[in-house]
Amino acid sequence: MVSKQAKAAAVQDELIEEFLGADAYLFTVPMYNLTMPSVFKAWLDQIVVADRTVNHAGSSPVAGRPAVVISARGGGYGPGAPKEGLDYVVPALEALLGRDDMLGLDVTTVIPELTMAPHAPVLASLIPMHEASLAAAHDQARRLAATLGTPSAA
């Protein structure tokens, strides 16, 4: 009989191997209640492992690989917004995914804001800003797809 601990370790090994086997990464991580969804955080906690995916004495085995983080949010948290500074998703992900002493991925972030504007009457005056943010995010995503979708010359 396989112990629960052995089963959990096998699942973690599978998640890590899948992560290590990718050439590029796309993370779609919305902001929920100022932070990332708990299931995504749980996945990160499974794949960020010292001496497997993070090497504090050198580079991570995935260092330099491209990663795109798309993080939609219902409100506005960018420069000048009343809730500026309350984004606890993107800074944490950029640090964990992108820092050389962590995973060291080449991270690009796409942030569509004010996604609740068309749905919440109190935000109705912000619909033009939402539409502009969404259009800019779509344009950025298209450019990234064209770049990342092209195999590099080896």
Side-chain angles (χ1 to χ4, degrees), residues 11-134:
V11 169
Q12 184 179 41
D13 288 342
E14 184 178 333
L15 292 171
I16 290 171
E17 290 307 312
E18 180 181 45
F19 178 73
L20 292 173
D23 294 328
Y25 306 89
L26 173 62
F27 302 104
T28 56
V29 187
M31 181 190 296
Y32 292 158
N33 300 318
L34 304 181
T35 190
M36 67 189 77
S38 60
V39 293
F40 185 75
K41 176 64 168 80
W43 176 81
L44 282 173
D45 290 341
Q46 291 297 310
I47 62 103
V48 177
V49 178
D51 299 325
R52 294 206 49 204
T53 58
V54 175
N55 181 349
H56 296 296
S59 294
S60 164
V62 298
R65 294 180 191 174
V68 175
V69 173
I70 300 175
S71 184
R73 58 274 328 280
Y77 298 85
K83 293 185 179 181
E84 178 181 359
L86 293 178
D87 179 349
Y88 298 106
V89 176
V90 170
L93 289 178
E94 288 178 342
L96 180 62
L97 300 173
R99 284 179 52 109
D100 290 338
D101 61 339
M102 295 304 290
L103 294 174
L105 298 172
D106 181 11
V107 178
T108 302
T109 307
V110 179
I111 304 174
E113 291 199 312
L114 300 166
T115 61
M116 287 301 297
H119 310 287
V122 70
L123 299 176
S125 66
L126 302 176
I127 289 174
M129 291 173 69
H130 153 70
E131 290 170 345
S133 176
L134 190 60

